[in-house]
Amino acid sequence: MRIGLIADIHGNLVALETVLAELAREPLDHLLCLGDVAALGPQPREVLARLRALQCPVVMGNTDAWLLQSPSTIPGDRFDRTITHWTIAQLSDEDRAFVASFSPVIELPAGDGSVLLGFHGSPRSYDDVIVPETPDDALRAMLGDTRDTHAAILAGGHTHLQMVRRYADAHLINVGSVGLAGVGAATQKNRHVRWAEYAVVEVDGERLDISLRRTPLDVALMIERAHASGMPEVEWWAGLWDR
């Protein structure tokens, strides 16, 4: 069983297509998106259309939920709110219905009766932050008992920080960010981050391979697309890649 995992695309179609081109060379059984699909980037509708065409399951992320709220209730700083208001205005009824169909958690078979449990922040909340230093007691509150779900692999996003750690009898992983690596809920605004992140998990009986991957991006093309999109705060967004 081979599962491709992507998360935190954030309206960055160039980054998504780069990752999908690499995954197309993999013999995958499943592709799972762990949320934060369209908001905070220059091509939200195009990303949503690409995911619809893929027909892969998508987890509900915190910025996905923003797109279904009143613009006046969007949290975050000026840049988050301004770009999200613009994104909401771009969406069609079909786009909103697609976002509304995202699930808080998604299970995929992982062999021998076990499952991969996908979520955004945690199964409890898309706003939860899990990092390598999160204490076990806090993890128990967010993740519960893996025996209840038969989860051998727990896979999330949200932090834009790749990670593998053990939790009880399971492996807890974060696949990083496709479209805004290095800028997220648990990261600093890293300098010279010019790549997309994703993961491939392979389960074959008792053999488990977790591959966290990073691939370079055409930053000039991304910034060109951003300027052509009409996205507000475009210089701020471009600056995240040119630091």
Side-chain angles (χ1 to χ4, degrees):
M1 183 72 66
R2 289 174 62 85
I3 303 171
L5 298 168
I6 58 176
D8 296 276
I9 304 164
H10 288 293
N12 188 338
L13 182 66
V14 172
L16 176 60
E17 293 289 10
T18 300
V19 169
L20 291 177
E22 292 198 355
L23 287 172
R25 298 192 289 269
E26 303 274 352
L28 296 179
D29 297 291
H30 298 283
L31 176 65
L32 174 60
C33 178
L34 299 171
D36 276 10
V37 168
L40 305 183
Q43 294 185 276
R45 292 199 66 188
E46 293 86 345
V47 167
L48 289 169
R50 189 71 171 93
L51 289 175
R52 276 200 301 272
L54 287 170
Q55 297 184 325
C56 71
V58 183
V59 166
M60 178 71 76
N62 59 303
T63 69
D64 302 318
W66 294 356
L67 303 180
L68 304 176
Q69 299 173 14
S70 164
S72 63
T73 65
I74 304 303
D77 57 24
R78 183 194 84 196
F79 304 106
D80 289 349
R81 290 194 299 271
T82 303
I83 297 173
T84 304
H85 292 175
W86 173 81
T87 302
I88 290 171
Q90 308 307 304
L91 301 186
S92 66
D93 289 343
E94 182 184 17
D95 293 329
R96 281 185 283 273
F98 180 51
V99 174
S101 74
F102 298 170
S103 301
V105 297
I106 291 173
E107 292 186 2
L108 294 177
D112 296 330
S114 65
V115 301
L116 180 149
L117 181 65
F119 47 83
H120 188 65
S122 82
R124 181 182 70 177
S125 170
Y126 47 56
D127 286 319
D128 279 342
V129 172
I130 298 174
V131 293
E133 300 81 14
T134 301
D136 286 345
D137 287 347
L139 283 181
R140 279 190 289 272
M142 290 186 277
L143 300 174
D145 192 332
T146 58
R147 291 173 298 183
D148 294 337
T149 60
H150 304 288
I153 304 161
L154 302 158
H158 187 48
T159 65
H160 301 205
L161 181 67
Q162 288 184 315
M163 174 190 73
V164 178
R165 65 177 282 187
R166 290 285 286 172
Y167 172 66
D169 293 329
H171 283 83
L172 170 61
I173 67 175
N174 190 299
V175 306
S177 172
V178 169
L180 274 178
V183 183
T187 62
Q188 300 298 317
K189 290 179 173 60
N190 296 340
R191 295 181 182 276
H192 311 303
V193 175
R194 305 170 75 83
W195 57 78
E197 298 167 341
Y198 66 103
V200 175
V201 173
E202 182 175 5
V203 183
D204 183 6
E206 294 185 356
R207 179 178 177 272
L208 172 63
D209 179 23
I210 298 171
S211 177
L212 299 181
R213 303 187 181 183
R214 176 186 292 177
T215 189
L217 292 170
D218 186 338
V219 174
L221 178 59
M222 289 194 312
I223 293 175
E224 177 185 320
R225 293 274 184 90
H227 281 287
S229 72
M231 181 179 76
E233 308 287 359
V234 66
E235 296 300 337
W236 168 80
W237 188 88
L240 297 176
W241 300 96
D242 276 349
R243 289 171 62 85

